[in-house]
Amino acid sequence: MDEHEADGMKAREAHADALTILEKFDNGVALLHLNRPDALNALNPALRKELAEHFRVLAGDDSVRCVVLTGNEKAFAAGADIKAMADARPGELMRGGNERFWRPIQDFPKPLIAAVNGYALGGGCELAMHADIIIAGEGAQFGQPEIRVGIMPGAGGTQRLTRAVGKFKAMMMLLTAQPVAAGDAERMGLVSLVVADDKVVETAMEMAARIARMPPLAARKIKEAVLNGADLPLEQGMLIERQAFQLLFDTQDQKEGMQAFIEKRKPVFKGE
Ligand code: CAA
């Protein structure tokens, strides 16, 4: 919080729950911190619940146009909380329905940037892969080490990772449990950008501010088209894109964007 205040960005609102901290800024950016440092931000049920609730609320908050999700310098998140699930039984996991905590993040309609320092392992790597853009510090490590504790990824690690990096890199990570360094993750297509460790949140916040200045309905439709089209044959994906493209011509922001270009002035996008 202090860091951004020192940069001249003052949080308009800050909510510190036990396991997460949410800061909202006047420029339409929200910064959400995972805050369980003693356990390297391991995702226990209480943390997942808080996180899901934040995303549910942020989705409907018109003052927020882009969200940055981050951990601390040592860990983005070291995975699901192993201690909390060591004695779990299948029926309990089914009743617990973890997917309901992931759903609001998966369905989050606005651009989401993961700002990753340190460990992004297991559920932590899967959480980062829920984001639209991943900015990593040079010292970050990404891995799916679940096999080491006798299980496998349960929140998209076999699916999103394979789609991001292809079968052979994914299998290597999933079967050996060995993490990859940020630079390798970037080359594999798992990371958007690698920066110095102490510039991760700053870079993510700058990128988020830029995105927040864009027309939000166009951002939403781009996200929808990329995510929904990714699993479809090209023709169906193109149809989704075409319909979204045409629909944007019914927005005020399209009129404003094009008129501002013609009049050689800066556009003011209202999200209408
Ligand atoms: N669950 C619960 N606690 C965890 C944790 C996790 N995933 N990761 C770290 N912690 C805790 C440690 O138990 C330790 O707590 P105590 O001080 O009370 O002992 C504290 O965080 C600090 O961790 P370490 O002392 O281990 O720190 P380190 O720097 O020596 O090692 C590490 C760091 C290599 C990340 C190591 O902590 C580790 O291997 N963690 C587990 C990583 C993992 O296997 N993640 C996958 C979990 S399963 C999963 O995520 C399923 C899914 O797909 C949904």
Side-chain angles (χ1 to χ4, degrees):
M1 221 176 288
D2 295 336
E3 193 182 317
H4 297 293
E5 288 181 4
D7 287 348
M9 285 179 66
K10 201 155 176 55
R12 176 165 52 84
E13 264 179 71
H15 306 270
D17 295 313
L19 302 167
T20 53
I21 299 169
L22 175 67
E23 295 176 87
K24 292 202 281 182
F25 296 88
D26 280 335
N27 63 359
V29 176
L31 176 59
L32 186 50
H33 306 254
L34 304 175
N35 185 38
R36 204 182 163 219
D38 292 347
L40 301 181
N41 289 331
L43 307 168
N44 67 359
L47 174 46
R48 283 163 199 244
K49 198 163 170 237
E50 267 188 31
L51 206 52
E53 192 48 34
H54 279 306
F55 277 100
R56 215 171 279 127
V57 172
L58 288 168
D61 182 341
D62 286 341
S63 72
V64 173
R65 293 186 175 186
C66 186
V67 174
V68 174
L69 175 64
T70 196
N72 55 46
E73 33 333 311
K74 183 137 193 233
F76 178 71
D81 190 310
I82 297 173
K83 293 167 193 166
M85 64 183 173
D87 298 322
R89 308 286 306 164
E92 200 181 321
L93 294 176
M94 281 189 261
R95 280 194 302 279
N98 263 334
E99 55 283 0
R100 80 197 139 101
F101 297 129
W102 289 104
R103 183 57 73 177
I105 312 175
Q106 179 175 320
D107 292 346
F108 189 60
K110 303 173 187 184
L112 172 62
I113 301 177
V116 178
N117 277 116
Y119 299 112
L121 301 178
C125 186
E126 291 170 310
L127 178 59
M129 287 192 287
H130 276 68
D132 305 306
I133 293 171
I134 301 179
I135 298 185
E138 286 159 347
Q141 293 186 44
F142 294 81
Q144 298 289 163
E146 289 90 341
I147 192 169
R148 230 178 36 195
V149 290
I151 56 167
M152 60 180 283
T158 60
Q159 304 303 309
R160 287 199 183 87
L161 181 64
T162 307
R163 283 165 173 75
V165 306
K167 171 185 162 186
F168 296 104
K169 295 287 190 192
M171 285 288 198
M172 185 174 72
M173 289 174 68
L174 292 160
L175 294 173
T176 67
Q178 277 189 317
V180 294
D184 290 332
E186 185 188 24
R187 280 185 283 281
M188 286 156 81
L190 178 54
V191 159
S192 314
L193 188 66
V194 178
V195 299
D197 287 330
D198 60 356
K199 295 281 182 241
V200 171
V201 175
E202 184 183 320
T203 306
M205 291 298 282
E206 281 166 11
M207 195 180 283
R210 183 181 170 83
I211 292 171
R213 288 195 295 275
M214 302 293 171
L217 292 173
R220 178 181 293 231
K221 285 290 162 195
I222 288 169
K223 179 164 175 168
E224 264 176 36
V226 171
L227 294 184
N228 294 331
D231 300 325
L232 293 175
L234 183 64
E235 265 312 310
Q236 288 175 33
M238 292 300 291
L239 180 64
I240 288 182
E241 180 185 277
R242 196 158 53 243
Q243 289 175 342
F245 173 81
Q246 291 162 357
L247 193 60
L248 288 173
F249 281 80
D250 199 32
T251 63
Q252 281 302 315
D253 284 347
Q254 175 269 326
K255 307 289 174 250
E256 167 66 7
M258 294 196 178
Q259 203 52 44
F261 174 81
I262 292 164
E263 292 169 9
K264 299 187 188 298
R265 61 174 173 81
K266 277 198 168 176
V268 180
F269 295 122
K270 296 186 176 155
E272 292 166 5

